[in-house]
Amino acid sequence: MTDLRLGVNIDHVATVRNARGSGYPDPVRAALLAAEAGADGITAHLREDRRHITDDDIARLSAELTVPLNLEMAATDEMLGIALRHRPHAACIVPEKREERTTEGGLDAARQHNHLAPMVRALSEARVRVSLFIEPDPGQIAAAVQLGAPVVELHTGRYAELNGEEQVAELRRIADAAALAAKNGIEVHAGHGLTFDNVQPIAAIPQLRELNIGHFLIGEAIFNGIGPVVARMRALMDAAR
Ligand SMILES: CC(=O)[C@@H](O)[C@H](O)COP(=O)(O)O
Ligand SMILES: NCC(=O)COP(=O)(O)O
């Protein structure tokens, strides 16, 4: 048993469902199967454009999940209201641009302090564990400390895209940011773009307590089923610790 949790992001089960507007494949069914296979939590990103996860998905996940729900949300009044209504175990504030295909980077918590502070306070007062999705950058860690965020999730997308020496340098940057955040009493998560092939160097970072992984797992599940792929990711993470 390791202290590194696996959060499975089920957004792209909803992407397939929404391709035809059918009721299947059901993201809630995927979440329950992922939990049975070893997922410690489920992450779902309710985007402003509802391109995949819908409000009804969040309602059903809130009612039916057997493991904690981590709601990913933009820093908007609409999303804050939804989070306060459902009061999930956790809410991760992520940047969003309508024209983006996927999340392209971390939140600029430093520049958005005044906008984020009341949201962090409101979620914390509602006993929703707040996480800020940020770049592995000392300035953003300092901003998270200033905001009183109990958790940060470090963006691993650049690490996932790079190769060779550049990837090694980005891994070092993530490891340094994790150590700095933990030293400041912040719980450290990581996610975006993680796969079977690149997860272990990230999982080996001792200060990390949770990895959130979705797109790759849902893709692999098309071929091997969500249970086996979640179990394999779990095993790879455990072997790295
Ligand atoms: C913040 C992050 O990296 C992901 O959790 C996010 O959900 C990606 O957006 P899509 O799921 O829409 O690709
Ligand atoms: N916050 C990262 C996440 O939830 C999943 O990101 P990805 O594995 O879908 O890229």
Side-chain angles (χ1 to χ4, degrees):
M1 180 65 191
T2 72
D3 56 358
L4 182 59
R5 298 187 301 270
L6 170 59
V8 174
N9 182 315
I10 53 167
D11 291 351
H12 297 295
V13 179
T15 297
V16 174
R17 176 197 58 195
N18 294 3
R20 193 173 285 188
S22 58
Y24 58 86
D26 179 6
V28 177
R29 180 182 171 199
L32 295 172
L33 288 170
E36 272 176 37
D40 300 288
I42 294 298
T43 291
H45 184 180
L46 182 64
R47 281 181 170 266
E48 288 184 279
D49 62 13
R50 279 50 171 199
R51 65 180 71 171
H52 39 56
I53 294 292
T54 65
D55 299 67
D56 182 57
D57 292 328
I58 297 301
R60 291 177 56 227
L61 287 165
S62 302
E64 300 178 36
L65 269 189
T66 55
V67 293
L69 173 64
N70 173 36
L71 170 65
E72 286 187 335
M73 53 179 270
T76 64
D77 290 341
E78 178 196 22
M79 290 300 155
L80 179 61
I82 291 168
L84 294 177
R85 187 159 69 248
H86 290 293
R87 295 178 64 166
H89 165 73
C92 182
I93 304 178
V94 303
E96 260 187 41
K97 292 197 294 281
R98 288 197 179 237
E99 63 277 10
E100 66 185 5
R101 263 201 317 187
T102 186
T103 301
E104 294 168 345
L107 199 62
D108 189 342
R111 192 186 297 270
Q112 295 185 53
H113 177 92
N114 294 342
H115 177 66
L116 293 170
M119 300 188 83
V120 173
R121 188 164 47 249
L123 288 164
S124 300
E125 287 170 358
R127 303 176 67 77
V128 176
R129 191 202 68 194
V130 183
S131 173
L132 302 179
F133 187 79
I134 60 171
E135 290 299 319
D137 172 273
Q140 296 302 335
I141 303 287
V145 173
Q146 287 296 317
L147 283 161
V151 181
V152 294
E153 179 170 332
L154 301 179
H155 176 225
T156 54
R158 188 170 293 105
Y159 160 81
E161 288 165 0
L162 294 170
N163 293 292
E165 284 307 307
E166 288 184 315
Q167 186 179 55
V168 171
E170 185 67 9
L171 177 65
R172 176 80 267 143
R173 187 168 167 246
I174 294 166
D176 291 346
L180 178 62
K183 190 174 148 196
N184 282 277
I186 292 180
E187 181 172 307
V188 196
H189 302 175
H192 199 89
L194 296 177
T195 69
F196 289 157
D197 291 338
N198 69 19
V199 70
Q200 289 197 309
I202 295 289
I205 297 171
Q207 293 85 2
L208 291 182
R209 290 291 168 269
E210 182 173 303
L211 299 184
N212 284 295
I213 308 173
H215 183 255
F216 171 78
L217 287 178
I218 302 310
E220 279 296 297
I222 292 171
F223 306 103
N224 298 313
I226 195 158
V229 301
V230 168
R232 182 169 174 205
M233 186 60 83
R234 177 77 269 173
L236 285 167
M237 289 165 58
D238 293 349
R241 294 293 263 200

